[in-house]
Amino acid sequence: MILKGVAQVVFQPNPWVGLVFLVALFAGGWRFGVFGLLGAVTATLTAHLLGVSWSERVAPGLEGFSGTLIGVGLALYFDVSWMTVLLVVFGAVAGSVLTSALDVLLKPYGLSGLTAPFCVITTVMVVGGSSFSRVWARQVSTAAPSATAPGTGMSWDHLWRGTFSGIGQVFLQDQWYVGLIFLAGLVVAGWRVGLVALVSSVAGLLTGWVLGAQAADLGAGLYGYNSVLTGVALFGTFVVVTPVSAGYALIGVVGAAGLTAGVSNLFAVAGGHTLTWPFVLVTWTFLAAVPMFSRIART
């Protein structure tokens, strides 16, 4: 159940996929694995204790993935301390409540909360953290790579590293080899899922390059991960697979990459923490529009 929660970050209710994802998190750093697990367990346990449906929500891992991302995100932004432990526990509990609230609010429209609870809770904590000295004392600088290595000239190294890092950045991991392990986990779920993730990461990276994004940011996968989530969501997860839906998903993938810069600039005053906001906004929009299109169908 917990492993399914980790896997559900990329919509896979498969414990083996979750196990590979967990290995990837520990490969990125022990604190990401530990705090990711803490967030998943806390969120899942909270939902169970509050009486969320076991068969429909808890058992498939749908109550654990936002908690996983909250744990990883706060470990990244606040490093390791007892204060971070408290923040992850509180954040995962709040994320569980917000998950249920969004499920109720969005159900009439046939939408799910996606990773919005993670985005809201993490954004609030990171933005508000500066007001609390004991919290901010552990704050870690997470400036984009282009802050120290500006320039738009993309090399082959940027391309191949950015492709794999774009998958790893789904879990806020910028090392290419961690992204490769995540890709292996997606292939465990099915070759099509792995292929969609890989193509989406490349498409997001190329979109950023065509628009003139900073090469160092492209190489770190910052323009790929929202595209990865959007591609997997719109091609097979929530939308029936057809040639038309493939084009529809590709438009969403490109849109998510383009929106990444806008969200980063919007949050620049708070450190530019884009998180998965572009994925959430684009996917909500594209799924809400499906009933208007006779050649596209929801799953």
Side-chain angles (χ1 to χ4, degrees):
M1 180 180 60
I2 299 302
L3 290 177
K4 285 182 180 180
V6 177
Q8 284 282 13
V9 171
V10 199
F11 317 110
Q12 305 306 312
N14 186 321
W16 296 108
V17 174
L19 181 60
V20 177
F21 284 0
L22 193 58
V23 169
L25 283 175
F26 275 100
W30 69 266
R31 73 185 194 275
F32 299 120
V34 170
F35 281 96
L37 264 179
L38 176 63
V41 171
T42 303
T44 302
L45 184 60
T46 299
H48 177 55
L49 292 177
L50 291 177
V52 173
S53 173
W54 177 271
S55 59
E56 294 181 8
R57 299 285 307 177
V58 179
L62 292 174
E63 295 295 326
F65 66 92
S66 279
T68 301
L69 289 175
I70 289 169
V72 173
L74 295 181
L76 173 66
Y77 295 131
F78 296 114
D79 207 354
V80 178
S81 71
W82 286 108
M83 184 57 66
T84 306
V85 172
L86 295 176
L87 289 176
V88 170
V89 170
F90 179 79
V93 171
S96 180
V97 175
L98 183 55
T99 295
S100 294
L102 285 175
D103 189 50
V104 172
L105 292 173
L106 296 173
K107 193 171 184 178
Y109 306 101
L111 301 175
S112 70
L114 304 176
T115 56
F118 152 67
C119 291
V120 172
I121 298 301
T122 305
T123 298
V124 168
M125 287 191 166
V126 174
V127 171
S130 59
S131 298
F132 306 107
S133 60
R134 291 189 180 88
V135 174
W136 207 242
R138 301 296 302 183
Q139 192 267 344
V140 177
S141 175
T142 53
S146 58
T148 55
T152 58
M154 191 171 73
S155 65
W156 168 248
D157 190 63
H158 289 124
L159 178 61
W160 75 264
R161 286 179 180 271
T163 297
F164 294 120
S165 295
I167 299 172
Q169 286 282 10
V170 170
F171 285 82
L172 309 179
Q173 305 299 303
D174 61 359
Q175 304 96 327
W176 68 267
Y177 56 88
V178 176
L180 185 58
I181 300 173
F182 281 121
L183 178 60
L186 290 172
V187 172
V188 170
W191 67 267
R192 189 177 66 192
V193 177
L195 181 60
V196 169
L198 186 63
V199 171
S200 297
S201 182
V202 173
L205 186 152
L206 292 179
T207 299
W209 173 67
V210 169
L211 294 174
Q214 296 290 302
D217 295 343
L218 294 171
L222 297 183
Y223 283 83
Y225 70 101
N226 279 292
S227 293
V228 168
L229 287 169
T230 303
V232 175
L234 295 179
F235 192 66
T237 300
F238 298 111
V239 179
V240 175
V241 174
T242 66
V244 175
S245 67
Y248 191 65
L250 183 59
I251 296 171
V253 163
V254 171
L259 188 58
T260 294
V263 175
S264 296
N265 291 337
L266 180 65
F267 290 157
V269 67
H273 304 298
T274 311
L275 305 178
T276 55
W277 280 115
F279 151 66
V280 171
L281 297 175
V282 169
T283 302
W284 275 348
T285 300
F286 275 60
L287 290 180
V290 167
M292 294 294 293
F293 307 131
S294 61
R295 294 183 178 179
I296 301 175
R298 293 285 301 272
T299 54

